[in-house]
Amino acid sequence: MSQNDTLQLAQEFLRRMGGGAQPSEIARLFSENMEWEIEGDTGILPWIGQKSGRAAITDFINDSRAMIERISFGVHDVLASDDRAVILGSLASRVKRTGKTINTDFAIVLTVANGEIIRFQMLEDSFAVSQAARG
C-alpha cells in the first residue's frame, strides 16, 4: 500500500468510529486474523489485553458503547507510512458503572497490509483507565 492509501484507511476508520457506524461496518476494515493489543489491567475492561481475530474489534465497539460514555475524543494528528498509521489524540470518557472519568492522551497504531488493518495497538494511560473502571 502507499502512504496515501494507509492514511485514507486510518481516516476511514476514524470516520466510521466517530459516525457511530455499526460494528460490522467498522470491522470490515480489519483482517480476519488481525492482532489486537491494549496494554493494561486485563481483569477490569474486556477490551484490555491481547486478542486476535476480527471479533476483537466488534467486541470492543459493543463493549465500549455499553460500558463507557464518550465525553470527548480529539484527534491531533494522523501520521502514515506505507504500512503503518499512527493516530495521536486525547479522550475523556465516563465509566457508566463507576461514574468516574478517564482523561488520557493516546496513540493508536494501525498496521496495514493488502488494504486491511492487520494490527491494532492503543497506547494510553492504562493506570488511569484501570482506576476509573475499578471505582
Side-chain angles (χ1 to χ4, degrees):
M1 290 183 59
S2 72
Q3 180 179 0
N4 191 51
D5 293 336
T6 301
L7 180 61
Q8 287 180 359
L9 184 58
Q11 290 171 331
E12 181 62 17
F13 167 70
L14 290 170
R15 186 190 69 73
R16 291 182 189 188
M17 288 291 291
Q22 292 297 313
S24 61
E25 182 183 346
I26 298 166
R28 282 195 286 274
L29 298 172
F30 289 79
S31 165
E32 286 283 344
N33 301 314
M34 65 91 70
E35 294 298 318
W36 174 272
E37 180 183 352
I38 301 178
E39 291 300 323
D41 190 346
T42 58
I44 300 302
L45 295 170
W47 56 84
I48 304 295
Q50 295 183 355
K51 303 175 185 336
S52 60
R54 190 178 278 167
I57 188 69
T58 55
D59 290 347
F60 166 70
I61 296 163
N62 289 325
D63 291 342
S64 64
R65 287 178 180 174
M67 300 174 76
I68 302 285
E69 174 190 346
R70 182 190 310 184
I71 298 169
S72 67
F73 183 90
V75 173
H76 306 306
D77 211 347
V78 182
L79 311 168
S81 66
D82 290 348
D83 63 354
R84 188 168 291 123
V86 178
I87 302 164
L88 302 172
S90 58
L91 63 83
S93 303
R94 184 171 295 108
V95 179
K96 292 177 182 179
R97 185 179 59 79
T98 66
K100 291 197 175 183
T101 302
I102 300 165
N103 291 296
T104 187
D105 293 326
F106 66 83
I108 297 172
V109 181
L110 304 174
T111 305
V112 301
N114 302 316
E116 297 179 312
I117 300 167
I118 62 170
R119 184 168 188 262
F120 177 102
Q121 179 184 23
M122 184 168 177
L123 307 167
E124 63 182 349
D125 183 350
S126 60
F127 181 75
V129 172
S130 177
Q131 291 299 307
R134 283 186 187 279

